[in-house]
Amino acid sequence: MDTRLLRAFITLAETENYHEASLRLFITQPALTKQIKQLEKQLNLTLFERGRHGAKLTTKGQLLLPKATQLLTQTTGFLSYASELSEQLPQSLSVGFGISTFHEASFFVAQLRQQLEKINISLDDMPSSEMEKKLNLCQLDIAFIRRSNQQLPSNLISKALTSEVLALAVATKEIKNHTIADYLTQNPLLFLRKERGPGLNEQINRLLNQMNISVKPAQEANDIQTLIALVAAGVGISLVPYSARLISREDVTFIPINNIPEAMWHIDVIWLASLPQEWQKLIPKLIQETQQHFAKDRENE
């Protein structure tokens, strides 16, 4: 089984959107469509129901998804172990990132691809808790992850990347001479689903507790883009990572919360100490280039 087809199937099942899935896989939408059709032909099954709203798994597709995920994990692990035995460089490299590091992780991977042209590099969005689990199981090679207070295991290497703060996302037309507390108590608050961003959810709750504000979500969404679209439509306001401002929308204003410690967190890049030595030397260099690139962007804001 071609692992490219499995990865295409799993990614499209997760995103339910050909455009987003193709971006994650760093391929074009026609190429993704071709891979899905090729897999369906091999299996003699229809895996997705296609419509204006994207792609939904069929019943048989839902039944196959856990098996496909298990097979991809086993195959990737097998190939990685075989590469170690043959003393050759691995043929693939997996990178995970969280909600607030999409742009940094994408830039990093773009530079990494230039250095490792023959290596299949995947970039996947997942919560920090899932990245920690996959790092410990050696199912993830590099992670852009929220810093933990726990001591790092000896099989992992870490380097600080950046810090992030929460920001209040408000429809630009609704901007008033209000304090953060005024906005939070006088407007419906929109949340990212807890299972989609548990770290972000905890950060927001710590901030609200510190401010002695008790609110219930007026509405929840599965991704930051949807949250921001809802804010722009005037449905409510939201607390999101300040980096969400890089999603270009003039109809939403982002107000960083810089003066409350509970609104800030640190982000590290963590990678497996078992990666080839030449990669071990390359990763810190690319992290530094990523930091410099986004430092220039912040200066130009």
Side-chain angles (χ1 to χ4, degrees):
M1 177 65 67
D2 189 337
T3 56
R4 292 180 307 131
L5 304 185
L6 287 176
R7 195 177 301 279
F9 169 51
I10 294 168
T11 304
L12 183 56
E14 291 175 347
T15 62
E16 298 183 346
N17 184 282
Y18 274 86
H19 176 68
E20 185 177 347
S22 63
L23 288 177
R24 289 193 187 184
L25 294 167
F26 293 95
I27 59 177
T28 63
Q29 284 185 241
L32 174 60
T33 300
K34 183 178 179 180
Q35 289 180 5
I36 295 299
K37 288 182 177 179
Q38 183 179 348
L39 180 60
E40 289 180 328
K41 183 177 180 181
Q42 288 183 10
L43 300 176
N44 195 27
L45 290 172
T46 300
L47 300 174
F48 294 93
E49 295 176 353
R50 300 162 179 84
R52 289 182 301 172
H53 301 294
K56 297 282 187 180
L57 282 171
T58 62
T59 301
K60 292 179 181 178
Q62 292 174 357
L63 293 173
L64 278 178
L65 181 59
K67 295 290 186 181
T69 303
Q70 181 182 21
L71 179 58
L72 181 60
T73 299
Q74 291 175 342
T75 303
T76 302
F78 172 81
L79 293 175
S80 178
Y81 182 61
S83 295
E84 293 177 7
L85 293 178
S86 64
E87 297 183 351
Q88 295 178 356
L89 290 177
Q91 297 303 302
S92 64
L93 186 65
S94 58
V95 182
F97 70 97
I99 294 166
S100 58
T101 56
F102 171 76
H103 293 86
E104 287 89 347
S106 298
F107 178 85
F108 175 90
V109 166
Q111 306 310 306
L112 191 60
R113 285 179 178 277
Q114 293 181 13
Q115 300 293 327
L116 306 177
E117 295 180 352
K118 297 182 180 180
I119 305 300
N120 179 27
I121 303 174
S122 63
L123 178 62
D124 296 301
D125 179 9
M126 62 189 78
S128 291
S129 57
E130 185 176 349
M131 283 191 275
E132 290 175 359
K133 180 180 178 181
K134 289 194 172 187
L135 282 169
N136 289 327
L137 294 173
C138 298
Q139 296 175 349
L140 189 64
D141 298 304
I142 305 173
F144 287 68
I145 191 169
R146 179 187 291 263
R147 182 178 298 172
S148 171
N149 293 326
Q150 298 180 355
Q151 185 175 358
L152 204 64
S154 58
N155 67 320
L156 299 176
I157 301 172
S158 175
K159 183 174 175 61
L161 175 69
T162 187
S163 60
E164 178 65 293
V165 297
L166 288 172
L168 195 65
V170 183
T172 302
K173 63 183 179 181
E174 300 294 335
I175 289 292
K176 301 175 182 178
N177 187 22
H178 280 178
T179 65
I180 297 296
D182 289 337
Y183 277 114
L184 290 171
T185 55
Q186 298 177 20
N187 296 275
L189 188 58
L190 314 177
F191 272 68
L192 187 71
R193 293 190 189 280
K194 183 176 180 179
E195 57 272 21
R196 181 62 184 81
L200 178 63
N201 190 275
E202 291 175 9
Q203 194 83 42
I204 292 172
N205 285 330
R206 285 198 295 270
L207 173 66
L208 295 176
N209 288 335
Q210 177 64 26
M211 299 178 69
N212 293 317
I213 295 174
S214 178
V215 293
K216 292 183 178 180
Q219 188 169 336
E220 295 182 325
N222 286 322
D223 55 70
I224 293 291
Q225 290 88 343
T226 301
L227 272 181
I228 294 173
L230 290 170
V231 169
V235 176
I237 63 173
S238 187
L239 287 165
V240 297
Y242 187 43
S243 57
R245 71 193 186 281
L246 298 174
I247 300 173
S248 181
R249 290 196 70 118
E250 295 181 356
D251 48 3
V252 176
T253 297
F254 298 88
I255 307 171
I257 306 173
N258 293 315
N259 57 345
I260 304 178
E262 285 75 13
M264 186 188 77
W265 66 96
H266 297 283
I267 297 169
D268 294 340
V269 180
I270 299 177
W271 64 94
L272 298 179
S274 58
L275 291 177
Q277 284 300 312
E278 62 182 85
W279 295 4
Q280 299 281 0
K281 296 177 182 178
L282 178 61
I283 291 171
K285 177 184 175 184
L286 295 184
I287 292 173
Q288 185 176 14
E289 290 181 5
T290 301
Q291 291 172 323
Q292 292 172 346
H293 175 81
F294 285 93
K296 291 179 181 178
D297 276 0
R298 286 189 287 272
E299 290 175 1
N300 293 329
E301 288 183 354

